[in-house]
Amino acid sequence: MEAAPIPHDAFIHIRIILGIVLGLSLTRLVSGLTRFVQHPQREQIYPIHLGWVLFLLLAITHFWWFEFGLASLSHWTFEIYLFLIFYAAIFAVLAALLFPDRMDEYKGFEDYFQSRRQWFYGFLALIFVLDLIDTWIKGADYFRSFGIEYPLRQAAFALCSIIAMFVPSRRYQAAFVTVGLIYQLFWILRQFEVLA
């Protein structure tokens, strides 16, 4: 027995689910950031951690906007649906890793972040790989429209994330998040033709 064809307006259904997952991720990040205002003596800012929070806020917002590209997808499958939910869920995992429920056993965000560094950078590397697949799902022409810079960018971010998993250098991590955040911001501005 063949499965019934999925209607084109399936995108609306999927957009709602993605919105819920990504909304929870943004909520976690914003609520985590307010801890620094609520408890300035107890919650000490760690610049590398804060940099990745800002990067993730930007990345989630960008991802959410670019998922409008799925509206042109004419053939939906359960596999694509499952992939998109998984992809969005990784953002939620990263948000939870940046702001855990409890930090009683850690001295602060620096101690916590460095102790969970491999998990964080591992999931971050995965995000860049998943983004390649997500962009390809939207069509080969869509993928090619970003030029050679896009796959090179994704590969560089993934490679730098993998290096950060195994190299505990705080200088490297600080340089990575600083360059990554600036590049991500300019990448987005160029995509929206603000800097064209």
Side-chain angles (χ1 to χ4, degrees):
M1 179 176 168
E2 276 188 43
I6 298 172
H8 182 66
D9 62 356
F11 172 64
I12 295 168
H13 171 72
I14 291 167
R15 191 175 67 187
I16 291 168
I17 305 267
L18 290 178
I20 291 169
V21 176
L22 295 172
L24 290 170
S25 303
L26 286 175
T27 300
R28 182 111 186 189
L29 293 172
V30 171
S31 136
L33 282 172
T34 61
R35 287 161 60 176
F36 298 122
V37 176
Q38 294 167 342
H39 309 287
Q41 299 304 318
R42 191 177 71 199
E43 305 289 354
Q44 297 297 312
I45 292 174
Y46 177 47
I48 293 171
H49 169 265
L50 181 62
W52 286 119
V53 171
L54 297 176
F55 181 92
L56 201 55
L57 281 167
L58 193 57
I60 290 170
T61 306
H62 184 240
F63 169 76
W64 206 339
W65 178 260
F66 263 80
E67 288 312 283
F68 278 113
L70 293 169
S72 62
L73 196 63
S74 59
H75 180 71
W76 285 95
T77 65
F78 182 74
E79 291 82 6
I80 292 173
Y81 169 74
L82 195 60
F83 169 80
L84 292 170
I85 297 300
F86 175 73
Y87 185 9
I90 299 301
F91 281 112
V93 169
L94 284 167
L97 281 170
L98 286 171
F99 288 109
D101 293 327
R102 297 181 58 186
M103 290 191 28
D104 302 341
E105 63 268 39
Y106 302 101
K107 296 173 190 169
F109 276 102
E110 180 175 4
D111 181 39
Y112 167 76
F113 183 82
Q114 291 303 324
S115 72
R116 294 293 171 257
R117 184 187 83 247
Q118 290 184 323
W119 283 100
F120 176 79
Y121 288 118
F123 280 108
L124 190 64
L126 180 59
I127 281 288
F128 298 115
V129 174
L130 293 176
D131 193 69
L132 286 167
I133 298 167
D134 177 67
T135 304
W136 186 258
I137 286 171
K138 293 169 188 158
D141 289 338
Y142 183 81
F143 189 95
R144 283 192 291 269
S145 73
F146 293 103
I148 191 65
E149 180 185 2
Y150 170 68
L152 292 177
R153 167 192 186 277
Q154 297 306 101
F157 267 118
L159 178 63
C160 288
S161 298
I162 291 167
I163 290 170
M165 287 175 67
F166 300 105
V167 176
S169 167
R170 284 164 170 78
R171 275 189 185 172
Y172 172 80
Q173 292 177 62
F176 178 28
V177 71
T178 302
V179 172
L181 189 54
I182 292 168
Y183 181 84
Q184 180 76 352
L185 182 61
F186 279 100
W187 168 264
I188 291 169
L189 292 175
R190 281 187 294 135
Q191 297 311 308
F192 294 130
E193 300 180 350
V194 174
L195 298 177

